[in-house]
Amino acid sequence: MSSTSEVLSLPMQPHWDEFQTLIDTEQSLHPFCEALAQRLMTCVDADACGIYLKLTESDTLKQVYLTSGAHFTPSAYLHRGQLHLDTGQLFIPLSSGDQIFGVVALRTVNREVLQAQQAKLARTAFKTSLKLHSMINEQRLNRKIRVMNEHLLSYETDPDGHIIDVSQALTEELGVTKQALLGENETHLFTHASIENDDKGQVLKLSSPNGNPLWLRSNKVLSYDFFGEQHGHYHLYENITDLKQAELRSITDELTGLYNRRYFNQRFPGDIDRAVRYSEIVAFIIVDIDNFKKYNDTYGHQAGDTALVTVARTLHECFRRKGDYVFRLGGEEFGVICNVTQAQDAETLANIACEKVAALQMPHTGNPHHVVTISCGVATVDAQHPADSNELYKMADQALYAAKNEGRNRVKVSGADDDIEFF
């Protein structure tokens, strides 16, 4: 600090002065600072001015106004309620409470004029601090509101469930206008969405405007009015599409689009446990394309891949009820887990799948039936006939082995003597 510097302790009395009109009328930060600088330079006969403010929650002072060609280094030794004069430079602290949020710097200050204007400057500093602090807070609030509006998927409802506000981000994600949603009941917002629950809350799956799947995880919090009374709800959504797509890729067979062996290993034991616990019937069906090695040898692996995709699509069409899961277990082998009301239902569904694959009439000269066919092994588990995942898999595999031995293109049920053959 220079030896010529000094601190002027001034009373900060909150009286209105000639800056009142400026303080009352100007609402924009930068025009206000420019006008303030011009008025202050006139008052103390200064030739330059700089205004520095903490516009964010950080401690960094940002220059918001500076006379052309001027340069200031705001002093670190500023205290609330004190004007700091250092070698012709005057630093006026701007404070709120105990925190200094800005500095006004003036250059080549006339000391005699300053002595005459001390009280006026003190009052101006006080009132300017209030004005600028209000402006900064409003700017911060508006910035946060803008960021939330542009990036946060949200809407607000009144106590009756009618939408009273909706963010720009959500309207863009859904491909609708804000005007179309305001006043509508929130039940109309996601009418075509499927809803599921994960360990973090409710997840909605719907189609985006471009037709691609969209997953949103929802959260609902109460909103209150100024009197602390419940006013409705805020509904917040997190776009977890990328996460869900990554999860799907990790459990999906790349060639066929069915679930893969990894997901089968995850689901299979849990589905069996639930069936036994809740007295349900779960069926497991192993499906194998007949003489598939000969198909590849005859038609080539590219044609073999096409056949795999076609059979996979057919199986998916046959087992598409809620609770049905179709897997590619490896090679030409597929697996189906399904809930049924009677054990015989699983056999019926497997027979339908056999019929539909054969009806595709895909030529296969290496197969006795001359077209691509499948064989199925079926096994079921329930509370009266419990089994663990290894036992159920072995039962279905043995039934499949029996179907192969008895001529293929058929369904064999574990523990049953009858089979059904087509053609």
Side-chain angles (χ1 to χ4, degrees):
M1 184 180 296
S2 171
S3 59
T4 61
S5 67
E6 57 184 298
V7 171
L8 306 176
S9 297
L10 303 175
M12 306 292 277
Q13 298 177 10
H15 297 302
W16 293 100
D17 55 19
E18 62 269 24
F19 284 81
Q20 184 68 54
T21 301
L22 173 63
I23 290 172
D24 282 346
T25 58
E26 185 56 65
Q27 300 300 318
S28 298
L29 180 63
H30 285 84
F32 177 81
C33 288
E34 183 176 356
L36 175 66
Q38 296 299 326
R39 179 61 64 89
L40 286 173
M41 285 191 292
T42 300
C43 285
V44 296
D45 198 21
D47 66 356
C49 180
I51 300 178
Y52 305 84
L53 301 173
K54 296 178 182 179
L55 296 178
T56 65
E57 285 77 4
S58 71
D59 290 329
T60 303
L61 285 171
K62 180 178 176 62
Q63 173 190 302
V64 295
Y65 176 83
L66 183 65
T67 303
S68 178
H71 174 75
F72 295 97
T73 304
S75 174
Y77 302 100
L78 296 176
H79 303 282
R80 181 179 178 275
Q82 294 179 339
L83 306 184
H84 188 85
L85 184 62
D86 188 357
T87 60
Q89 292 188 351
L90 177 66
F91 294 93
I92 306 172
L94 303 171
S95 61
S96 175
D98 295 329
Q99 300 298 316
I100 293 176
F101 66 86
V103 178
V104 176
L106 294 158
R107 187 182 68 183
T108 319
V109 176
N110 186 304
R111 197 177 192 287
E112 289 73 20
V113 174
L114 176 61
Q115 291 290 348
Q117 300 286 358
Q118 283 186 16
K120 185 180 295 186
L121 278 173
R123 292 194 299 270
T124 299
F126 179 86
K127 203 62 186 178
T128 299
S129 292
L130 295 178
K131 176 72 172 182
L132 284 173
H133 193 255
S134 174
M135 282 182 160
I136 291 171
N137 284 339
E138 184 177 2
Q139 187 180 80
R140 289 176 181 174
L141 178 60
N142 288 338
R143 182 170 60 247
K144 290 178 180 178
I145 291 173
R146 177 181 57 79
V147 170
M148 289 190 292
N149 184 52
E150 293 177 356
H151 299 281
L152 182 64
L153 308 176
S154 65
Y155 67 92
E156 184 182 0
T157 55
D158 64 16
D160 296 322
H162 294 102
I163 298 172
I164 57 177
D165 194 19
V166 59
S167 70
Q168 174 186 334
L170 185 59
T171 60
E172 291 177 352
E173 198 74 76
L174 299 179
V176 296
T177 64
K178 182 174 183 177
Q179 290 71 23
L181 296 178
L182 293 179
E184 292 291 327
N185 192 282
E186 62 178 317
T187 56
H188 299 157
L189 191 56
F190 300 112
T191 53
H192 301 295
S194 60
I195 301 175
E196 60 186 62
N197 291 296
D198 62 14
D199 56 351
K200 294 183 179 179
Q202 191 178 76
V203 175
L204 286 73
K205 181 183 179 183
L206 57 154
S207 293
S208 65
N210 58 15
N212 294 326
L214 175 67
W215 282 269
L216 302 176
R217 179 180 286 123
S218 67
N219 187 26
K220 182 168 68 173
V221 295
L222 292 173
S223 65
Y224 298 89
D225 60 22
F226 291 109
F227 301 100
E229 299 292 332
Q230 183 180 337
H231 180 64
H233 289 90
Y234 292 109
H235 303 257
L236 311 175
Y237 292 88
E238 177 188 5
N239 189 335
I240 58 171
T241 301
D242 290 343
L243 175 63
K244 282 293 185 180
Q245 288 178 336
E247 289 178 355
L248 282 176
R249 285 193 296 270
S250 72
I251 62 174
T252 300
D253 177 64
E254 185 175 0
L255 176 64
T256 64
L258 299 178
Y259 292 121
N260 59 19
R261 182 65 181 250
R262 174 185 178 184
Y263 189 51
F264 171 78
N265 292 338
Q266 292 175 0
R267 282 209 66 94
F268 196 36
D271 286 346
I272 294 172
D273 291 344
R274 278 189 293 274
V276 174
R277 187 181 306 117
Y278 298 110
S279 299
E280 297 174 346
I281 303 174
V282 167
F284 175 52
I285 306 169
I286 295 184
V287 181
D288 190 82
I289 300 177
D290 297 326
N291 293 301
F292 189 70
K293 184 179 183 302
K294 293 181 180 179
Y295 188 91
N296 274 335
D297 292 342
T298 303
Y299 301 98
H301 289 281
Q302 186 172 355
D305 286 349
T306 302
L308 285 169
V309 171
T310 303
V311 171
R313 184 167 55 245
T314 304
L315 292 175
H316 186 261
E317 290 171 354
C318 292
F319 299 94
R320 58 187 312 143
R321 304 169 307 157
K322 184 177 181 180
D324 290 350
Y325 296 89
V326 186
F327 309 84
R328 185 186 179 197
L329 300 179
E332 69 273 24
E333 190 171 85
F334 302 88
V336 179
I337 300 173
C338 55
N339 291 321
V340 292
T341 54
Q342 301 180 65
Q344 294 85 350
D345 294 343
E347 181 182 6
T348 300
L349 291 169
N351 283 325
I352 292 172
C354 279
E355 291 177 334
K356 287 187 175 294
V357 170
L360 295 172
Q361 293 291 297
M362 289 187 291
H364 185 358
T365 58
N367 192 30
H369 304 289
H370 307 296
V371 294
V372 171
T373 59
I374 59 173
S375 297
C376 302
V378 180
T380 57
V381 63
D382 56 35
Q384 285 71 43
H385 305 88
D388 62 28
S389 58
N390 290 329
E391 292 170 337
L392 187 62
Y393 193 102
K394 184 177 180 180
M395 291 160 58
D397 196 43
Q398 289 174 340
L400 174 65
Y401 184 78
K404 294 285 188 181
N405 281 343
E406 295 180 18
R408 295 182 171 83
N409 188 35
R410 66 189 66 216
V411 174
K412 197 71 179 177
V413 179
S414 176
D417 295 326
D418 298 330
D419 57 67
I420 299 178
E421 182 174 359
F422 302 101
F423 298 109

